[in-house]
Amino acid sequence: MSAGEDAGDSSGRITGIKSALRVIPNFPKPGIMFQDITTLLLDPKAFKDTIDLFVERYKEKEISVVAGIEARGFIFGPPIALAIGAKFVPLRKPKKLPGEVISEKYILEYGSDCLEMHVGAVQSGDRALVVDDLIATGGTLCAAMNLLERAGAEVVECACVIEVPDLKGRERLKSHGKPLYVLVESQFEPTSQ
Ligand SMILES: O=P(O)(O)OC[C@H]1O[C@H](OP(=O)(O)OP(=O)(O)O)[C@H](O)[C@@H]1O
Ligand SMILES: Nc1ncnc2[nH]cnc12
């Protein structure tokens, strides 16, 4: 599901969000077209529209926890959590959380990594939304869902600003049986911003 398929007034806002994103070729490695959300953050209307579109989708879905993935999920997750009245739980890279943690390793488009979550942050019966800026291979979102499910939460949906469709993350997520909602697809032309 993407916001472009939603009825209503979302298409103008989606166009504004798309044009506020920047594409940088060959970062951080040759061949990667890096989808940069920092230019979206410089545009208060496009940034607010991004948060509003997610809030409109999730406000009536009885979400009790928004789990944001380090680092860029920490930008979009907290304002969504505050607006829908859910707690925010940071899923962090290794050795950043001070308390007892559970961990999940995963493979990335350009390397491998691990996510950790504090024990006790999420309870059995919590209804979770996972938030990140982008889905590429889907490895990061799968690791996030594993952490939440190990803690007894029910993952309701994963939400990202951008999807890189060629990397087939959406198919990988199907093994979890959880829906993915994105606002825009990645762009492959470098932008001039
Ligand atoms: O779908 P995947 O193939 O798993 O990739 C998506 C992840 O990659 C990026 O984060 P990155 O690991 O580069 O970390 P950062 O946000 O700390 O820069 C992005 O913000 C997602 O979290
Ligand atoms: N192409 C890409 N742009 C930005 N972040 C990413 N994370 C994984 N692939 C990415």
Side-chain angles (χ1 to χ4, degrees):
M1 176 78 177
S2 73
E5 291 155 21
D6 267 352
D9 69 340
S10 65
S11 69
R13 290 184 286 176
I14 294 294
T15 304
I17 291 164
K18 226 181 241 172
S19 54
L21 294 164
R22 176 167 69 168
V23 182
I24 310 255
N26 303 316
F27 181 88
K29 288 188 174 170
I32 304 284
M33 293 298 278
F34 192 85
Q35 311 290 311
D36 181 19
I37 52 98
T38 65
T39 46
L40 173 72
L41 309 178
L42 300 175
D43 179 336
K45 164 135 182 27
F47 186 20
K48 183 171 188 306
D49 285 346
T50 302
I51 300 304
D52 287 350
L53 284 165
F54 288 129
V55 170
E56 287 162 23
R57 181 170 177 86
Y58 296 114
K59 64 184 176 202
E60 309 295 349
K61 291 207 160 75
E62 295 181 357
I63 305 285
S64 59
V65 50
V66 174
I69 297 173
E70 185 171 356
R72 291 169 256 159
F74 292 0
I75 296 167
F76 299 100
I80 298 169
L82 287 173
I84 67 175
K87 61 185 171 184
F88 178 76
V89 171
L91 305 184
R92 297 215 61 182
K93 301 289 165 71
K95 301 196 190 309
K96 300 285 186 184
L97 290 170
E100 188 187 347
V101 297
I102 55 173
S103 310
E104 281 281 336
K105 293 201 173 73
Y106 58 97
I107 309 290
L108 276 172
E109 188 184 2
Y110 38 79
S112 69
D113 219 328
C114 175
L115 279 182
E116 296 186 339
M117 181 174 78
H118 265 149
V119 171
V122 166
Q123 272 81 44
S124 168
D126 265 328
R127 285 173 53 80
L129 171 68
V130 185
V131 173
D132 205 351
D133 67 322
L134 176 141
I135 173 168
T137 65
T140 309
L141 287 177
C142 285
M145 286 193 281
N146 288 342
L147 286 174
L148 290 158
E149 286 170 356
R150 281 168 60 191
E154 180 194 346
V155 176
V156 175
E157 191 156 275
C158 295
C160 292
V161 180
I162 306 162
E163 176 179 9
V164 184
D166 290 358
L167 294 174
K168 309 227 179 303
R170 185 177 284 275
E171 277 165 40
R172 185 159 174 186
L173 257 54
K174 279 186 187 148
S175 64
H176 268 268
K178 300 299 177 189
L180 169 70
Y181 178 72
V182 298
L183 299 185
V184 305
E185 288 194 351
S186 53
Q187 299 164 76
F188 284 95
E189 292 304 314
T191 50
S192 53
Q193 293 176 67

